[in-house]
Amino acid sequence: QLQLQESGPGLVKPSETLSLTCTVSGGSISSSSYYWGWIRQPPGKGLEWIGYIYYSGTTYYNPSLKSRVTISVDTSTNQFSLKLNSVTAADTAVYFCARGDYGNGWYYMDVWGNGTTVTVSS
Amino acid sequence: DIQMTQSPSSLSASVGDRVTITCRASQSTANYLNWFQQKPGKAPKLLIYAASSLQSGVPSRFSGSGSGTDFTLTISSLQPEDFATYYCQQSYTIPYTFGQGTKLEIK
């Protein structure tokens, strides 16, 4: 079955760029009717939607992060990535990647990675 | 942004109880409303999409209702594995915002 796995550094220095990759296995990232997204959760807090990308490369971002975030897709490796620049301690969180389904006209994230913890600290 | 407000923020209940969690949106989200369950240290799990559609594999004791701005998640008979935090999320307009969560604890 479809699985997603986040990977990347667990520690990032303030003002630097956070870079994460989500590897999709058990299915193709190029499938129609799906989108690929990132969500984060600061320690002890709720969920924040970061953005998503279609396999075509079309992206949608949370306006609160839009100036700092880039999501990209590599269909040849079945991966998509998140870059968040100029990070601060407020960006410390568990970062989840997820598949979104819109094939029936509704938008919902039905398959999630386990999440990866990123700490911003010098 | 559409603000999503859940009530209550926390809830104590017993196995076998019927429980209802409410989610209110600051403006209409039509039926673009999803419910997730999250256990400590785990990723959220989709329970309900489109306000009332049960995700495949989710037990039928979970149900969702509502439209527009007011939605509810009901668990008809609580089981031990249902004690977790529940989040609503609107997917009507970007950014797709979440409620603050409802923590369901054992009484």
Side-chain angles (χ1 to χ4, degrees):
Chain A
Q1 82 265 24
L2 190 81
Q3 293 185 311
L4 283 68
Q5 180 66 58
E6 306 88 350
S7 59
L11 181 64
V12 181
K13 290 182 168 55
S15 80
E16 295 190 345
T17 296
L18 179 160
S19 295
L20 297 175
T21 296
C22 183
T23 300
V24 178
S25 59
S28 172
I29 203 168
S30 300
S31 299
S32 59
S33 304
Y34 298 119
Y35 57 93
W36 307 92
W38 290 96
I39 305 93
R40 70 180 182 178
Q41 185 170 37
K45 296 189 177 180
L47 299 162
E48 180 179 29
W49 180 83
I50 298 172
Y52 68 77
I53 189 167
Y54 292 100
Y55 79 91
S56 63
T58 301
T59 53
Y60 295 88
Y61 299 134
N62 190 325
S64 68
L65 299 169
K66 188 173 184 177
S67 63
R68 299 194 292 130
V69 68
T70 302
I71 298 175
S72 59
V73 65
D74 186 339
T75 56
S76 67
T77 59
N78 231 31
Q79 297 176 323
F80 63 105
S81 299
L82 169 71
K83 290 188 185 300
L84 182 66
N85 58 35
S86 304
V87 298
T88 70
D91 295 309
T92 293
V94 176
Y95 286 76
F96 297 99
C97 62
R99 183 185 78 171
D101 189 334
Y102 69 99
N104 54 9
W106 303 101
Y107 286 69
Y108 50 91
M109 292 172 288
D110 60 346
V111 182
W112 293 61
N114 293 328
T116 188
T117 299
V118 178
T119 302
V120 178
S121 175
S122 56
Chain B
D1 297 4
I2 297 178
Q3 306 303 316
M4 308 299 293
T5 303
Q6 292 179 228
S7 61
S9 294
S10 63
L11 175 60
S12 294
S14 301
V15 173
D17 283 354
R18 179 183 180 89
V19 166
T20 297
I21 298 169
T22 297
C23 178
R24 175 163 288 176
S26 60
Q27 62 190 80
S28 177
T29 67
N31 279 8
Y32 288 85
L33 192 286
N34 308 313
W35 288 98
F36 295 89
Q37 175 195 67
Q38 187 179 33
K39 296 182 179 178
K42 300 295 186 182
K45 173 187 175 182
L46 178 68
L47 300 175
I48 301 284
Y49 65 93
S52 60
S53 294
L54 191 68
Q55 171 67 355
S56 176
V58 174
S60 59
R61 63 180 180 273
F62 292 92
S63 64
S65 64
S67 64
T69 60
D70 294 303
F71 303 90
T72 59
L73 173 71
T74 299
I75 310 172
S76 60
S77 179
L78 272 174
Q79 298 302 300
E81 61 268 29
D82 299 337
F83 292 94
T85 299
Y86 292 84
Y87 293 93
C88 62
Q89 182 218 17
Q90 64 83 16
S91 57
Y92 181 66
T93 188
I94 287 169
Y96 292 166
T97 42
F98 291 88
Q100 82 280 14
T102 294
K103 188 173 183 178
L104 179 52
E105 299 175 305
I106 301 173
K107 184 183 287 185

